């Protein structure tokens, strides 16, 4: 099978490797669609995320979907031919965090595309059956691949626990920011303000239900939020861009005793706050670690037509052109939301098998 490995910054090489066989409790999955996440871009561009560095060639990609092609011993919850979204995190299940339901902060978690665990930019994987989430036939493989980023957005909103009618702001309108937006709409928040420098992303945010979409490069964000909220400020700001300026803006636009929810991953392994502002307002800051027990709920939201993730993946690439997908995602060319890599040579245009 084909397996695309990252050997170092911007050094992707195709390998011919054996097809992995499922062990007990596992399934073999033929990969169909893989979304390129911001964390993939960090590894591709820099060879690391913070203190986690690539030390050996690795297969990236964790936002994935596919079809079951073989069952390991003891698997009776799935069948060959089932279409699945893939939960990319495999926690140990034994530690105090797992036992208390906080699987996402398990210290021994294995996560696709994070050294040393190979990800999904290959033709086949073997993975625990309980982490292969069956999706309705009506969902395309691209939509199923977007379950993972939607689950992050759903989890971020759950952590924030917004009160119905609250005003929120989302800084950064990529796939994660748009997932927060849609999850917040489902949760019943009132006004939603978003920011993004990319016009196509602002336009899509408005189409998905934002009340205002601001260009941070052309206006004073703090002044505009004051105008939009009658000088009150927002109840909760979600930082989804991973850049210092947006986190500082998030602290500025939230009213005293408000919340800042940090979702974005910064280039430098540091977060920046204005200390005096954060202290005077006595802000509550929540850091989001991936998602936790929200994937199944995300599938329900997509299948029920309550959110739209199909619009994230308008830019498709082959496995062989993954470098182009990475570069396009870095530059945000053509308003790209999520670059989607089609891992299967024979994937049909309508994303079905």
């Amino acid at each position: 099978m084909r397996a695309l490995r990252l050997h170092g910054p911007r050094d992707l090489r195709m390998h011919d490797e054996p097809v992995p066989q499922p062990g007990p409790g596992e399934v073999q999955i033929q990969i169909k669609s893989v979304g390129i996440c911001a964390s993939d871009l960090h590894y591709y561009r820099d060879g690391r995320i913070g203190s986690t560095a690539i030390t050996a060639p690795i297969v990236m990609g964790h936002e994935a979907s596919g079809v079951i092609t073989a069952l390991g011993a003891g698997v009776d919850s799935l069948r060959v031919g089932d279409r699945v979204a893939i939960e990319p995190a495999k926690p140990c299940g034994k530690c105090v965090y797992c036992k208390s339901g906080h699987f996402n902060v398990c210290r021994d978690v294995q996560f696709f595309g994070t050294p040393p665990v190979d990800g999904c930019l290959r033709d086949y994987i073997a993975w625990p059956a309980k982490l292969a989430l069956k999706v309705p036939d009506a969902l395309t493989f691209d939509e199923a691949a977007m379950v993972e980023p939607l689950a992050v957005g759903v989890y971020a909103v759950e952590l924030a626990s917004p009160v119905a009618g609250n005003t929120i702001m989302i800084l950064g309108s990529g796939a994660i920011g748009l997932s927060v937006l849609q999850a917040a709409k489902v949760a019943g928040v009132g006004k939603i303000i978003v920011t993004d420098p990319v016009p196509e992303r602002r336009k899509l945010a408005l189409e998905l239900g934002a009340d205002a979409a601001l260009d941070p490069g052309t206006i004073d964000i703090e002044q505009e939020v004051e105008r939009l909220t009658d000088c009150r400020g927002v109840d909760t700001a979600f930082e989804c861009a991973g850049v210092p300026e947006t986190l500082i803006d998030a602290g500025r636009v939230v009213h005293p005793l408000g919340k800042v929810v940090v979702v974005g991953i910064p280039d430098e392994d540091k977060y920046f706050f204005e200390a005096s502002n954060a202290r005077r307002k006595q802000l509550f800051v929540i850091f989001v670690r991936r998602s936790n027990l929200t994937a199944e709920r995300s599938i329900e939201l997509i299948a029920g037509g309550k959110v739209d993730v199909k619009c994230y993946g308008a830019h498709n690439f082959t496995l062989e052109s993954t470098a182009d997908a990475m570069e396009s995602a870095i530059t945000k060319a053509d308003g790209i939301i999520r670059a989607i890599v089609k891992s299967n040579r024979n994937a049909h245009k309508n994303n079905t098998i």
Side-chain angles (χ1 to χ4, degrees):
M1 70 168 187
R2 299 169 302 163
L4 188 64
R5 293 191 175 274
L6 182 70
H7 287 248
R10 285 184 161 89
D11 183 8
L12 287 168
R13 306 179 201 174
M14 193 71 76
H15 294 250
D16 184 11
E17 300 181 3
V19 174
Q21 300 303 310
E26 294 184 335
V27 291
Q28 182 189 78
I29 304 171
Q30 184 184 46
I31 299 298
K32 295 293 186 177
S33 295
V34 182
I36 300 300
C37 176
S39 61
D40 297 316
L41 301 181
H42 282 283
Y43 285 123
Y44 171 75
R45 186 185 57 208
D46 306 320
R48 66 187 310 118
I49 295 179
S51 60
T52 304
I54 294 172
T55 58
I58 188 170
V59 177
M60 293 185 295
H62 61 268
E63 299 177 353
S65 65
V67 61
I68 304 295
T69 47
L71 306 177
V75 175
D76 56 12
S77 57
L78 293 166
R79 295 183 179 182
V80 171
D82 281 347
R83 303 154 60 89
V84 294
I86 300 167
E87 167 55 60
K90 182 167 68 172
C92 75
K94 302 175 182 178
C95 68
V96 63
Y97 304 107
C98 287
K99 289 181 178 179
S100 62
H102 300 288
F103 301 98
N104 59 318
V105 293
C106 170
R107 292 177 176 175
D108 295 317
V109 67
Q110 297 180 42
F111 194 86
F112 274 141
T114 299
V117 183
D118 284 334
C120 297
L121 286 172
R122 46 181 164 157
D123 287 325
Y124 293 90
I125 64 169
W127 200 236
K130 63 183 179 181
L131 301 178
L133 310 176
K134 189 173 178 180
V135 299
D137 289 343
L139 267 64
T140 68
F141 286 117
D142 286 3
E143 288 176 295
M146 293 298 98
V147 165
E148 198 277 338
L150 178 60
V152 174
V154 171
Y155 183 54
V157 172
E158 284 188 359
L159 286 177
S161 302
V163 176
N166 274 182
T167 296
I168 70 166
M169 186 165 189
I170 302 166
L171 299 98
S173 300
I176 298 297
L178 295 174
S179 294
V180 170
L181 188 163
Q182 296 192 81
K185 291 286 288 187
V186 171
V189 303
K191 182 176 289 185
I192 300 176
I193 307 166
V194 304
T195 70
D196 203 283
V198 181
E200 293 88 348
R201 291 184 172 189
R202 296 196 302 273
K203 179 176 182 292
L204 182 55
L206 291 171
E207 292 172 355
L208 292 175
D211 296 282
L214 313 178
D215 181 354
T218 62
I219 63 172
D220 185 307
I221 294 296
E222 189 175 6
Q223 288 183 6
E224 186 63 12
V225 170
E226 287 283 293
R227 186 186 70 81
L228 291 169
T229 62
D230 295 325
C231 297
R232 181 175 181 272
V234 303
D235 297 287
T236 304
F238 294 85
E239 195 291 312
C240 299
V243 297
E245 294 81 6
T246 53
L247 191 51
I248 290 172
D249 281 340
R252 289 176 176 176
V253 301
V254 174
H255 62 61
L257 302 180
K259 299 174 185 176
V260 174
V261 183
V262 184
V263 191
I265 301 173
D267 288 339
E268 189 177 355
D269 196 22
K270 296 178 181 178
Y271 286 113
F272 296 91
F273 291 90
E274 287 182 324
S276 58
N277 174 68
R279 188 174 64 252
R280 282 197 302 267
K281 291 183 176 180
Q282 193 175 307
L283 296 181
F284 293 83
V285 180
I286 302 169
F287 292 91
V288 178
R289 174 62 168 170
R290 297 172 179 157
S291 66
N292 189 41
L293 302 175
T294 51
E296 289 87 350
R297 171 64 174 153
S298 298
I299 292 171
E300 293 174 359
L301 290 173
I302 299 170
K306 294 183 178 180
V307 303
D308 176 11
V309 295
K310 186 180 294 184
C311 59
Y312 297 178
H315 298 76
N316 287 180
F317 300 82
T318 64
L319 188 59
E320 288 78 7
S321 64
T322 297
D324 293 335
M326 297 283 183
E327 296 293 344
S328 295
I330 289 171
T331 62
K332 300 179 177 62
D334 195 27
I336 194 169
I337 305 294
R338 265 299 188 263
I340 302 288
V341 174
K342 305 288 193 181
S343 286
N344 181 22
R345 286 191 181 97
N346 300 314
H348 296 301
K349 292 182 180 180
N350 64 354
N351 294 324
T352 60
I353 59 170

